[in-house]
């Protein structure tokens, strides 16, 4: 199954990044790069039409534990900062992958239409 992971930045996360030293910021980028390396077998880079927002699953990573909800969760102070397409067996595998994301605190998972 193909999904698009949309990485969502919040104002709080943007402020955190701005407060980091160049060395600390480089460490953040290294963790993100390592995540992409670790999941390279599942990552696809082709353009595809997304299914509607009602089909989304969102994982919030900015609390003590990851929180998964059905549907998109977008506040005016959040912005999609990037995306990647993955191919995995099912939503459970996508969730396991996303729960290890090391950067912005929200990731929306949306199935790709065939």
């Amino acid at each position: 199954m193909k999904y698009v992971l949309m990485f969502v930045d919040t104002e709080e996360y943007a402020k955190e990044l701005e407060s980091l030293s160049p060395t600390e910021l480089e460490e953040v980028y290294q963790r993100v790069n390592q995540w992409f390396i670790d999941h390279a077998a599942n990552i696809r880079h082709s353009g595809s039409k997304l299914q509607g927002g009602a089909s989304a699953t969102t994982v919030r990573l900015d609390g003590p534990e990851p929180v998964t909800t059905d549907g998109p969760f977008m506040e005016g102070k959040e912005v999609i900062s990037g995306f990647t397409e993955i191919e995995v067996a099912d939503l459970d595998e996508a969730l396991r992958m996303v729960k290890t994301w090391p950067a912005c605190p929200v990731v929306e998972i949306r199935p790709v239409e065939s």
Side-chain angles (χ1 to χ4, degrees):
M1 180 98 193
K2 288 185 181 179
Y3 294 91
V4 167
L5 308 180
M6 291 180 280
F7 306 111
V8 183
D9 283 346
T10 61
E11 281 187 352
E12 294 82 14
Y13 185 70
K15 288 177 185 175
E16 285 177 33
L17 288 180
E18 288 174 9
S19 70
L20 298 178
S21 70
T23 302
E24 292 168 325
L25 193 56
E26 181 60 31
E27 290 172 3
V28 171
Y29 291 137
Q30 287 177 2
R31 286 193 304 270
V32 169
N33 288 336
Q34 188 62 51
W35 186 89
F36 278 99
I37 290 166
D38 292 346
H39 298 286
N42 299 103
I43 294 173
R44 306 292 179 261
H45 296 285
S46 63
S48 300
K49 180 177 168 43
L50 297 178
Q51 292 185 12
S55 68
T57 301
T58 300
V59 180
R60 294 198 65 87
L61 304 170
D62 54 355
E65 295 289 329
V67 176
T68 304
T69 58
D70 291 335
F73 184 82
M74 297 296 292
E75 294 179 357
K77 297 180 182 185
E78 297 179 340
V79 62
I80 294 173
S81 61
F83 72 94
T84 193
E85 184 178 295
I86 62 170
E87 188 166 353
V88 292
D90 53 26
L91 179 59
D92 290 335
E93 186 176 352
L95 287 167
R96 283 190 297 275
M97 191 172 160
V98 164
K99 288 178 180 177
T100 66
W101 175 246
C104 57
V106 179
V107 180
E108 182 177 316
I109 304 168
R110 196 177 301 186
V112 175
E113 290 185 356
S114 301

